[in-house]
């Protein structure tokens, strides 16, 4: 296996030092792996990747890049019942989207099924594994507890020849699903439950997405994972804390195979596992089982629903891969479980989009504004700055005319205190246009305001008064005749509670779904150029937030805009008010 780097550098922000990077640096100093740094990202293709996986991806690929090593993408596909090619494809797309490249190092645990089986035969031959006829239920009942040792299986002392014969027949499909297992013969009294004769193989007559019906016994994850790393020459096998107790088992398997002369050729060392704390986020669930439940139960529109914490959901929502990478690196790598405030992710995104998203004006809840002293049928183009944070983004023309739309919220007939927007008698600036003063309102038969009437001051063209007159408020607008009409989808947290899993006994986290997580505005009025906005383009709608053209539901000339994130963190404001 060559040690050539195959992952070109996408890292925009240097990762901070952490205990894993220290271990790697020390190993390099000690020459433990002769300077090799080989990591892997090992997803099970049973769902789409989520933001927690991004942390693991950035860590594993990041370490390889920083150390001139390489990172493998390996699918741990040992459970055909739950896995699917759709997931494999989505995972590859998501890792690429984050900017990482595994080069030729794409692997599947299923490629090692034969090798794993041969090793199982090796252990069985030397009395370190046996075929057990107990059911899964019986095995788990006899496993004991943290305070009670387990009870040995009545099949534990089966003669080697019988074990070999039964294992061979298991493999040949002679037995029904669940009727037998192959178990490692370790220690039923071990304080570590994972060492109490764990199951290595189960019988499942199931079609595998890659091996088809070739196999009817499948390796358990624990029997496949460590050896897969070993076969690939992984040096630093990094995983989340829940695998800490599995490490002794992985080492037991590898040590015993090595003792029996089964070590893979050309791999003069064993992988070393280090565990770190998984990422948890407020207002978010990050378990694939639950995400699948949200999809299957129709609580969201799919894995890429813009409210999902999946990478495909974030992508569709308008998140940039850079902001996710920046966030994933900034949360750091530790041994302690913690919950990260989702506003940190949102702020990483705002920082990024602030620099690169062109500004546009869009009115989400339109109210008609009529400029009585503006000539009928006339229009003119005004200059607007595309991005005040980026002078190179230049300016654009926007049409202005007699009838405009402004935001309902930007007018009050009876203003509350300190209201600086439009009210009768008050003058405000129309962004990039003119000063206008409200003269009257029109109402329908129910007393609802239908139009606000104003006069404008032609001398204030561009938004400044030559006589030095000041106004307190600036509001955005769109010319009614020129406006692009569009659907705009406003998203909020999918869960209404910081910890969605905090529910009374017997209740589901689903009771914490936020009923207002999606609000659809069907007739927003936008700057005319936005009619041609292409899928995936991101804009800031001034004063509203960042929006992205939905990649799935938009049609040419009929873009649908997803609100990616508001301009400010409205939730933390609410919290402070409480
Ligand atoms: P889940 O627990 O959400 O079902 P998983 O751990 O079963 O996810 P895998 O496909 O096995 O999902 O994960 C691939 C890799 O991503 C593993 O190394 C796992 O440790 C890591 N990973 C999964 N979730 C997180 C997380 N929340 N934070 C950091 N790393 C994670
Ligand atoms: Mg897992």
């Amino acid at each position: 296996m060559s040690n050539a780097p195959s992952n070109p550098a996408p890292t925009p922000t240097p990762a901070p030092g952490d205990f894993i990077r220290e271990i790697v640096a020390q190993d390099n100093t000690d020459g433990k792996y002769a300077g090799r740094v080989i990591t892997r990202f090992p997803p099970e293709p049973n769902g789409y990747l989520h933001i927690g996986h991004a942390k693991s991806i950035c860590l594993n690929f990041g370490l390889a890049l920083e150390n001139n090593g390489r990172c493998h993408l390996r699918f741990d596909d040992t459970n055909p019942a739950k896995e699917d090619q759709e997931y494999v494809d989505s995972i590859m797309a998501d890792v690429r989207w984050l900017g990482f490249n595994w080069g030729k190092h794409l692997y599947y645990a299923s490629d090692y099924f034969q090798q794993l089986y041969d090793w199982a035969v090796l252990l069985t031959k030397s009395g370190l594994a046996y075929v057990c006829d107990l059911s899964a239920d019986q095995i788990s009942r006899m496993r004991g507890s943290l305070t009670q040792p387990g009870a040995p299986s009545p099949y534990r002392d089966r003669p080697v020849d019988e074990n070999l014969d039964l294992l061979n027949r298991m493999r040949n499909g002679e037995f029904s699903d669940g009727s037998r297992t192959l178990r490692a013969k370790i220690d039923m009294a071990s304080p570590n439950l994972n060492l109490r004769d764990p199951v290595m193989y189960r019988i499942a007559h199931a079609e595998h997405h890659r091996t088809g019906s070739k196999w009817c016994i499948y390796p358990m994850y624990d029997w496949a994972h460590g050896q897969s790393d070993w076969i690939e020459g992984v040096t630093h096998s990094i995983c989340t804390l829940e695998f800490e107790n599995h490490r002794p088992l992985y080492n037991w398997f590898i040590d015993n195979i090595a003792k029996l002369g089964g070590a893979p050729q050309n791999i003069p060392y064993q992988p070393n596992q280090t565990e770190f704390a998984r990422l948890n986020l407020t207002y978010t669930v990050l378990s694939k089982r639950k995400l699948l439940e949200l999809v299957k139960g129709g609580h969201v529109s799919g894995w890429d629903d813009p409210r999902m914490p999946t990478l495909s959901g974030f992508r569709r929502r308008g998140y940039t891969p850079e902001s996710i990478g920046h966030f994933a690196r900034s949360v750091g790598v530790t041994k302690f479980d913690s919950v990260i405030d989702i506003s940190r992710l949102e702020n990483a995104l705002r920082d990024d989009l602030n620099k690169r998203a062109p500004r546009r004006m869009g009115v989400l809840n339109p109210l008609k504004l009529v400029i009585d002293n503006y000539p009928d049928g006339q229009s003119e183009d005004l200059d607007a700055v595309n991005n005040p944070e980026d002078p190179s983004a230049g300016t654009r023309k926007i049409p202005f005319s007699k009838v405009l739309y402004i935001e309902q919220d930007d007018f009050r007939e009876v203003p509350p205190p300190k209201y600086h927007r439009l009210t009768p008698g008050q003058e405000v600036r129309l962004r990039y246009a003119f000063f206008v003063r409200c003269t009257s309102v029109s109402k329908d038969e129910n007393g609802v305001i239908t139009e606000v009437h104003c006069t404008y001051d032609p001398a204030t063209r561009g938004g400044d008064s030559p006589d030095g007159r000041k106004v307190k408020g600036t509001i955005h607008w769109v010319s009614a005749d020129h406006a692009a009409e569009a659907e705009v989808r406003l998203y909020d947290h999918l869960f209404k509670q910081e910890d969605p899993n905090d529910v009374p006994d017997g209740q589901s986290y689903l009771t914490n779904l936020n009923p207002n997580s999606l609000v659809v505005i069907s007739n927003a009025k936008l700057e005319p150029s936005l009619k041609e906005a292409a899928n995936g383009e991101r804009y800031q709608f001034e004063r509203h937030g960042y929006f992205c053209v939905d990649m799935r539901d938009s049609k040419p000339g009929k873009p649908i805009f997803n609100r990616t994130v508001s301009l400010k963190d409205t939730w933390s404001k609410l919290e402070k008010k409480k």
Side-chain angles (χ1 to χ4, degrees), residues 42-44 46 53 221 240 242-243 278 288:
E44 186 182 347
N46 60 356
H53 293 115
Y221 182 86
T240 37
E242 70 272 23
F243 292 103
R278 56 173 49 226
K288 276 195 274 187

Side-chain angles (χ1 to χ4, degrees), residues 24-297:
V24 172
Q26 189 63 48
D27 289 346
N28 285 341
T29 306
D30 298 346
K32 187 166 174 187
Y33 306 103
R36 292 185 193 86
V37 175
I38 304 174
T39 58
R40 84 287 174 266
F41 173 64
E44 186 182 347
N46 60 356
Y48 281 57
L49 296 182
H50 54 61
I51 183 83
H53 293 115
K55 179 177 174 182
S56 175
I57 292 168
C58 291
L59 177 60
N60 279 298
F61 280 92
L63 272 172
L65 287 165
E66 292 156 30
N67 291 282
N68 201 24
R70 62 174 203 249
C71 180
H72 300 178
L73 175 63
R74 182 179 71 244
F75 290 98
D76 271 339
D77 53 351
T78 54
N79 185 1
K82 294 199 171 156
E83 293 160 6
D84 203 276
Q85 187 61 36
E86 176 194 347
Y87 300 135
V88 171
D89 295 340
S90 76
I91 289 168
M92 293 203 273
D94 287 347
V95 176
R96 281 201 193 97
W97 180 66
L98 285 179
F100 296 108
N101 177 5
W102 51 89
K104 60 183 183 186
H105 297 285
L106 172 66
Y107 303 106
Y108 295 85
S110 54
D111 289 341
Y112 313 139
F113 281 175
Q114 184 62 47
Q115 171 70 81
L116 290 167
Y117 182 80
D118 293 344
W119 277 334
V121 170
L122 188 67
L123 293 188
T124 307
K125 267 189 188 151
S126 23
L128 292 175
Y130 61 95
V131 173
C132 180
D133 300 0
L134 296 176
S135 69
D137 264 2
Q138 287 169 319
I139 291 178
S140 88
R141 261 186 275 126
M142 292 170 67
R143 208 168 165 222
S145 66
L146 288 174
T147 49
Q148 290 266 312
S153 159
Y155 307 97
R156 198 168 198 263
D157 292 318
R158 235 175 195 152
V160 167
D161 284 348
E162 194 179 322
N163 283 323
L164 285 172
D165 174 57
L166 286 171
L167 176 58
N168 184 40
R169 289 165 60 196
M170 274 170 66
R171 185 220 167 126
N172 290 338
E174 283 189 35
F175 307 122
S176 61
D177 287 4
S179 61
R180 287 191 163 88
T181 56
L182 182 75
R183 297 176 68 179
K185 193 168 175 179
I186 309 181
D187 179 4
M188 285 309 290
S190 169
N192 183 340
L193 270 68
N194 292 307
L195 295 179
R196 294 185 186 172
D197 291 11
V199 172
M200 295 161 62
Y201 276 100
R202 62 201 188 287
I203 303 174
H205 293 263
E207 194 76 10
H208 186 279
H209 70 107
R210 295 192 77 242
T211 58
S213 54
K214 179 162 180 222
W215 293 87
C216 62
I217 58 172
Y218 287 95
M220 300 302 287
Y221 182 86
D222 279 351
W223 168 243
H225 188 79
Q227 291 98 281
S228 299
D229 284 345
W230 196 21
I231 292 169
E232 291 173 20
V234 167
T235 56
H236 298 85
S237 171
I238 295 159
C239 57
T240 37
L241 285 177
E242 70 272 23
F243 292 103
E244 197 164 12
N245 289 334
H246 297 240
R247 179 166 18 106
L249 175 59
Y250 300 165
N251 290 343
W252 187 92
F253 284 141
I254 288 178
D255 288 343
N256 280 292
I257 293 169
K259 267 187 227 153
L260 296 168
Q265 283 185 346
N266 309 326
I267 310 289
Y269 54 86
Q270 298 179 358
N272 215 314
Q273 177 171 308
T274 308
E275 305 85 13
F276 71 101
R278 56 173 49 226
L279 174 73
N280 302 297
L281 272 186
T282 56
Y283 299 102
T284 307
V285 298
L286 288 183
S287 130
K288 276 195 274 187
R289 184 181 64 73
K290 287 180 180 159
L291 297 180
L292 181 65
E293 192 172 34
L294 289 168
V295 173
K296 289 260 155 80

Side-chain angles (χ1 to χ4, degrees), residues 362-377:
V363 175
L364 302 189
N365 292 303
L367 173 63
K368 247 183 196 167
L369 181 102
V370 182
I371 303 174
D372 291 323
N373 62 339
Y374 195 87
D376 286 333

